Amino acid sequence: MVNAADSNSSFTRSLAHTDVNIRERAFNKLTTWLAARDQSLEELDMLKIWKGMFFSFWHADLQPVQEDLAERMAKILLSIKNKKVCEMYLGGFFTTMRREWF
């Protein structure tokens, strides 16, 4: 079993990486990992994940790339089976947007 805190740090670093291939692999792994979660995460852990996702979006250079990434981020909600994890994912998004943009 992978420790959630260790996974979150790894996801965050990889999602915020400057190399697009590393970001893509991290995003795909994160999507699978979140979909398989059968228990909720700590709020701080979800915020760390979203910090990485924010910078992943930031590194996406062109509008079509950003549009695709935004759609993929939204679709993660549909793959998460645990209601609490789903709520935390959405809450993490809003908290991150408020923190980074307002």
Side-chain angles (χ1 to χ4, degrees), residues 6 30 38 62 74 84 101:
D6 293 340
L30 175 65
D38 60 355
L62 304 171
K84 184 67 176 166
W101 286 107

Side-chain angles (χ1 to χ4, degrees), residues 17-66:
H17 203 279
T18 56
D19 185 326
V20 67
N21 295 318
I22 293 173
R23 290 195 313 266
E24 281 298 312
R25 280 195 306 270
F27 187 85
N28 292 334
K29 287 179 183 179
L30 175 65
T31 301
T32 302
W33 186 77
L34 284 172
R37 294 289 302 172
D38 60 355
Q39 58 187 356
S40 65
L41 303 165
E42 295 292 325
E43 182 179 9
L44 181 59
D45 292 332
M46 185 61 78
L47 291 176
K48 288 178 183 178
I49 289 171
W50 264 106
K51 182 82 164 187
M53 291 176 68
F54 176 83
F55 281 103
S56 181
F57 193 83
W58 188 268
H59 287 300
D61 293 334
L62 304 171
Q63 183 178 352
V65 177
Q66 289 177 336

Side-chain angles (χ1 to χ4, degrees), residues 49-99:
I49 289 171
W50 264 106
K51 182 82 164 187
M53 291 176 68
F54 176 83
F55 281 103
S56 181
F57 193 83
W58 188 268
H59 287 300
D61 293 334
L62 304 171
Q63 183 178 352
V65 177
Q66 289 177 336
E67 288 175 1
D68 177 62
L69 184 56
E71 187 172 322
R72 290 170 50 210
M73 287 176 171
K75 285 183 178 178
I76 288 178
L77 277 172
L78 302 175
S79 69
I80 299 173
K81 296 168 184 70
N82 183 294
K83 182 180 177 183
K84 184 67 176 166
V85 174
C86 191
E87 290 170 353
M88 292 182 75
Y89 180 82
L90 189 57
F93 165 76
F94 287 120
T95 300
T96 300
M97 291 303 109
R98 185 174 59 240
R99 179 186 64 224

